Amino acid sequence: MATYTSGELAVQRRAGLAGPAGNAVRGIRAEVPEVAADFLSEQPMIVVGAADPAGRIWATVLAGEPGFLSVREPGALAIRARPHPEDPLAEALAAPAKVGMIAIEPATRRRMRLNGTSRPYGEGG
């Protein structure tokens, strides 16, 4: 069953959003539904955040032609892009790392947030 961390729950309470957030937890899944996979495959960018080895949090935009994001198995997003070697996030993603990501479609305001563990493979991230 999906849940929030104690820190997320504390922030939701302070913001007065514990009720709406409780309803939203139903949308948290281990698998990427087909409609979500289709949305991701159409996106030209995704924002990725992670901590570097010193614990500092960094975020960067990874971009590519639509299709550079793909769901090849239910719980895994493949990203055929990596940060520039001088981007602070490049070092953080060089080994498996906890990541948070968001894909946003500004024209429609549709968005999808994903969390997980990155595992570098080949030329992708």
Side-chain angles (χ1 to χ4, degrees), residues 60 82-95:
T60 197
R82 289 195 184 207
H84 186 277
E86 294 178 19
D87 186 317
L89 198 59
E91 183 180 6
L93 297 180

Side-chain angles (χ1 to χ4, degrees), residues 8-99:
E8 289 170 320
L9 291 169
V11 169
Q12 292 163 5
R13 281 191 299 276
R14 282 195 305 262
L17 297 173
N23 293 332
V25 78
R26 291 188 310 266
I28 300 173
R29 299 182 179 107
E31 297 83 28
V32 180
E34 186 175 342
V35 67
D38 292 344
F39 170 79
L40 289 166
S41 73
E42 297 168 356
Q43 302 313 305
M45 68 175 188
I46 191 165
V47 179
V48 180
D52 69 13
R56 296 172 297 214
I57 304 296
W58 299 96
T60 197
V61 173
L62 298 179
E65 293 294 319
F68 90 106
L69 301 173
S70 62
V71 177
R72 297 194 182 138
E73 53 188 77
L77 173 66
I79 303 174
R80 288 191 314 272
R82 289 195 184 207
H84 186 277
E86 294 178 19
D87 186 317
L89 198 59
E91 183 180 6
L93 297 180
K98 297 289 184 192
V99 295

